[in-house]
Amino acid sequence: MDGRPVWLVVVPVLAPVPIAFVAAALPLNDELLARLRSLVGLPRATGLAIGTAQGWRVAAGPVTPGLLANLPSGGALPAAPSLVLQDGRETIFLASPLPTRAGGPPVATIMAFPLAEALRRYWRLILVVLLGLTFGLAAAIAGAWLIARGVARPLEVLARHTRRIAAGDYAAPPEPQRHDEIGELGTALAGMTAAIAEREAHIR
């Protein structure tokens, strides 16, 4: 209306059938946009643009003309946000058309949000995830080292005992202190050592 965007609200009056309509026209100016931003958490760079024959112009809000250069001169506006460069920074840019009266100029909502600012609230979550992964990896490495140590050390003892048997030393190996497969292997090796020593003494 008069070259300015207006938010038109029409409500029917029921008694109990419609007998009238109440219409309210609110100018979509900087003050109203600032209030909407504070209520719903819109980006700071939220504004309105009106399409003219010369291109898009800023109608309200802190929108720079440089952002309007990303709008197509004709045709439908893109439905998905895009990533543009503004003041050397990557910025999420979205333009959404607003319903207007027939024959009127197109009106679009412009929203721009710096990508770094949008990701700032997630840095703490990313840090927590990285710390969790680091501690988890450290715990996994420590657990693997303990498991490998618990398996490798008894096997080294049994390997030394087999080398003593090969050298002719039939002294009994130390009693295994475990009851798993390695303990059974140590018990079997001790029995084999005693049997070999007994047979060799019998042969002599």
Side-chain angles (χ1 to χ4, degrees):
M1 297 174 62
D2 299 328
R4 297 180 180 179
V6 173
W7 184 9
L8 183 63
V9 180
V10 180
V11 180
V13 178
L14 305 177
V17 296
I19 60 172
F21 290 91
V22 176
L26 304 176
L28 287 172
N29 50 22
D30 294 349
E31 182 181 354
L32 181 58
L33 286 178
R35 187 174 179 185
L36 290 176
R37 285 198 304 269
S38 64
L39 288 176
V40 298
L42 292 174
R44 184 178 57 84
T46 300
L48 295 176
I50 296 179
T52 62
Q54 292 76 27
W56 293 88
R57 67 175 178 84
V58 178
V63 178
T64 60
L67 281 175
L68 298 184
N70 299 296
L71 292 175
S73 56
L77 296 175
S82 58
L83 204 60
V84 299
L85 284 178
Q86 184 186 19
D87 300 330
R89 297 188 304 173
E90 289 184 318
T91 302
I92 304 171
F93 176 75
L94 177 64
S96 301
L98 294 179
T100 59
R101 63 182 176 86
V107 180
T109 301
I110 308 298
M111 285 182 284
F113 201 40
L115 184 61
E117 187 177 343
L119 296 178
R120 186 178 303 159
R121 66 187 66 181
Y122 298 105
W123 282 120
R124 181 177 298 177
L125 177 61
I126 293 174
L127 181 61
V128 170
V129 171
L130 289 178
L131 288 177
L133 289 176
T134 302
F135 284 120
L137 183 60
I141 292 175
W145 179 76
L146 289 175
I147 293 174
R149 184 180 180 184
V151 172
R153 179 172 292 181
L155 290 179
E156 289 177 0
V157 172
L158 295 178
R160 287 198 301 269
H161 182 66
T162 55
R163 287 192 290 271
R164 288 205 318 268
I165 294 174
D169 183 3
Y170 300 121
E175 189 71 21
Q177 302 297 323
R178 44 197 305 164
H179 304 284
D180 55 1
E181 290 81 359
I182 296 178
E184 294 179 1
L185 180 61
T187 302
L189 187 60
M192 183 187 71
T193 303
I196 292 175
E198 183 180 352
R199 283 196 295 270
E200 186 169 332
H202 181 70
I203 291 172
R204 287 179 179 176

